[in-house]
Amino acid sequence: MKELSVKMFGGFEISYDGKVIIPRDARNSKVLQLFQYLLFRRGSMIPQDDLIEVLLCGEECANPASVLKNIVYRLRKLLEERGVPRDCILHAKNSYGFSEETPCRIDTVEYEEIVQKLNAGGPEDGKEKLALCLRAIDLYGEGFLPHSSGEPWAMGAFVRYEGMYCDLFRTAYSLVREQEAYDRFIASLKKATSLYPYEEDLTLIYIDCLYEAKRVQDALEAYDAAATLMLDDLGLKPSERMQALHGKITGGMQEIASSVLDVRSKIAEDGASGALSCNLEVFTKIYRFVVRHMERSGQSVFLMLCTLSSLDGAPLESGEQTRKTVEQFYAAAGASLRRSDVYARYSPSQFVLMLMEIKQENCSIVADRLRYFFYRNAKMNRTRLTCKSISAADMDMMMEDSSAGKW
């Protein structure tokens, strides 16, 4: 028997008897919107007024009932031209629906059935349960009707299915750890974190699975990318959970080295030039080590805080322009600082620099050099770059005085 195959995840695509009759890249017209809604509400007769509200959304129209009838006619004609019986679109008592008697397989229905089965306990066998989770994750694709997600009727479904999607990863996570079946799951997680980069649970699961799969460097790179994104777009530093995971990764490197030469070859820089750029966690540990070293070496180390702001001193707003401004600062720091210096992003619009073997009077030279290279890009003339420095030794003494009650 001929059957309609309906895909509503990742786009709208219809096949009939194995042949695509509405491709995924078809223009999203009122006719297709009607078809989407009738399929989504399959089994229900929808009053004419409700359909008018869904399709016209308050648009000015002299005779909305006539417009709806015209859209229904065009849909029936479209289906008939592609071999689908036109009577699959039902009409009775000023209501419309899609016939349940027409053989039809819809991905959203299968998705919900799997989620319901899992919520009810699912299969007892862990492998079968994980396979169901992965099947539902694959069905989801890029979300429910992404090109129609702004439509009021689709928005609620979009959010509900997204919640189910995230829960599927949480359910699968424990099963994957039990079975050590990381490879397939990691590929799905990578796609999920690109779809929902601000969903911290997905990011944490992704990074942890990379680590458990012995892909430590990939885990660290994923952590840095996530931390940078949150700082750039939301102005947020890594949460305690993120920081704890970073500590687990860096503290759990248990590779056995064959010799000290092997260790040196793996930790040595690969011909890098310029100052060392790192994240704030690494910077903090380097700083604490350097302060300890200063007690014996007597070397002079200064910290410099560089702040980017608008000309009136207001903080930069997040967005593409701020991202470009930050990139320009990175370029200026790379051109201005020495190989022995270290710097890190401290906040969305601030950087902290550790300047080694330098005197107070030379800090202003570094600041001038930073401004020179920063303002070489004419587009930065609407941004203020402020640099303030302090001796790390003075800071250490201040901390000691504070702890002794002198402040």
Side-chain angles (χ1 to χ4, degrees):
M1 183 178 291
K2 294 182 179 180
E3 177 186 66
L4 274 175
S5 176
V6 180
K7 294 181 181 179
M8 303 182 85
F9 284 125
F12 187 59
E13 182 178 290
I14 306 290
S15 299
Y16 185 61
D17 195 26
K19 180 182 178 182
V20 175
I21 60 170
I22 297 178
R24 189 162 300 210
D25 59 358
R27 187 173 62 88
N28 196 25
S29 63
K30 296 290 186 186
V31 172
L32 290 191
Q33 286 180 35
L34 172 63
F35 198 19
Q36 291 166 2
Y37 191 71
L38 293 179
L39 286 167
F40 181 69
R41 297 281 305 276
R42 186 180 181 222
S44 301
M45 293 300 292
I46 304 153
Q48 172 178 286
D49 290 345
D50 290 355
L51 282 177
I52 289 172
E53 179 62 28
V54 165
L55 295 173
L56 302 183
C57 294
E59 292 179 15
E60 291 292 332
C61 183
N63 191 343
S66 177
V67 171
L68 175 62
K69 288 178 181 178
N70 180 261
I71 295 172
V72 172
Y73 168 77
R74 287 159 56 199
L75 174 59
R76 282 176 168 159
K77 187 167 186 276
L78 173 72
L79 294 175
E80 193 172 36
E81 287 173 352
R82 286 158 173 75
V84 183
R86 61 181 290 136
D87 58 7
C88 65
I89 307 298
L90 304 177
H91 177 235
K93 298 179 180 179
N94 283 331
S95 296
Y96 295 89
F98 189 86
S99 172
E100 286 190 287
E101 295 181 5
T102 301
C104 189
R105 184 162 41 89
I106 307 176
D107 56 358
T108 55
V109 174
E110 183 183 354
Y111 181 79
E112 292 201 52
E113 287 174 348
I114 292 174
V115 170
Q116 289 170 6
K117 188 173 183 179
L118 290 168
N119 289 342
E124 292 185 7
D125 182 79
K127 289 186 177 181
E128 289 183 22
K129 193 169 186 178
L130 177 57
L132 272 181
C133 287
L134 294 176
R135 170 59 182 162
I137 286 169
D138 286 345
L139 280 171
Y140 185 82
E142 297 178 4
F144 177 72
L145 293 176
H147 300 301
S148 301
S149 58
E151 299 293 331
W153 75 268
M155 202 175 298
F158 184 91
V159 172
R160 186 165 64 89
Y161 287 142
E162 178 188 327
M164 293 177 180
Y165 182 67
C166 294
D167 286 341
L168 284 165
F169 281 101
R170 297 184 185 101
T171 301
Y173 179 43
S174 59
L175 297 169
V176 166
R177 288 176 64 91
E178 289 173 7
Q179 300 170 35
E180 297 187 352
Y182 292 106
D183 290 345
R184 168 85 160 76
F185 192 48
I186 285 172
S188 298
L189 277 166
K190 185 176 182 179
K191 180 177 181 179
T193 53
S194 67
L195 280 175
Y196 305 115
Y198 307 125
E199 188 66 46
E200 187 176 74
D201 277 0
L202 293 182
T203 300
L204 289 169
I205 292 172
Y206 177 47
I207 296 171
D208 190 52
C209 284
L210 286 170
Y211 170 73
E212 295 294 341
K214 307 296 188 286
R215 293 170 55 179
V216 178
Q217 189 57 42
D218 288 340
L220 288 172
E221 289 176 3
Y223 173 88
D224 285 340
T228 300
L229 181 73
M230 295 297 285
L231 195 59
D232 283 346
D233 292 0
L234 304 178
L236 299 175
K237 293 181 181 179
S239 66
E240 290 185 4
R241 291 198 301 161
M242 285 279 286
Q243 292 179 47
L245 181 55
H246 185 270
K248 171 184 171 181
I249 295 169
T250 55
M253 298 179 181
Q254 300 177 347
E255 181 180 357
I256 303 300
S258 57
S259 70
V260 68
L261 291 174
D262 185 41
V263 173
R264 186 178 70 176
S265 68
K266 290 196 174 180
I267 67 175
E269 286 190 286
D270 187 16
S273 61
L276 175 64
S277 173
C278 58
N279 62 40
L280 189 58
E281 288 92 345
V282 174
F283 183 93
T284 302
K285 291 176 181 177
I286 294 174
Y287 168 75
R288 289 172 181 172
F289 168 77
V290 167
V291 169
R292 292 185 181 197
H293 185 63
M294 286 167 55
E295 296 173 1
R296 296 189 60 185
S297 68
Q299 69 183 134
S300 175
V301 178
F302 277 77
L303 278 183
M304 180 178 287
L305 180 65
C306 299
T307 303
L308 301 168
S309 64
S310 60
L311 294 179
D312 61 3
L316 299 180
E317 297 181 359
S318 60
E320 183 61 26
Q321 184 55 46
T322 295
R323 187 175 288 109
K324 290 178 180 178
T325 303
V326 167
E327 288 175 358
Q328 179 61 18
F329 182 87
Y330 274 117
S336 306
L337 305 181
R338 302 161 300 171
R339 276 178 58 84
S340 58
D341 299 330
V342 186
Y343 67 104
R345 185 95 172 269
Y346 185 77
S347 73
S349 57
Q350 291 181 305
F351 290 81
V352 60
L353 286 56
M354 185 158 47
L355 309 175
M356 311 294 293
E357 291 292 343
I358 193 172
K359 297 179 181 179
Q360 175 72 65
E361 55 267 27
N362 291 330
C363 288
S364 60
I365 297 175
V366 173
D368 288 342
R369 201 159 57 221
L370 277 166
R371 292 190 188 94
Y372 170 74
F373 285 105
F374 182 76
Y375 290 116
R376 284 181 69 177
N377 184 334
K379 294 180 179 179
M380 298 298 113
N381 59 10
R382 296 175 179 269
T383 303
R384 176 183 294 173
L385 172 56
T386 306
C387 302
K388 296 181 179 181
S389 58
I390 186 172
S391 168
D394 290 345
M395 288 183 66
D396 199 36
M397 290 172 58
M398 288 165 61
M399 293 296 290
E400 290 178 2
D401 289 343
S402 177
S403 63
K406 297 181 182 179
W407 287 80

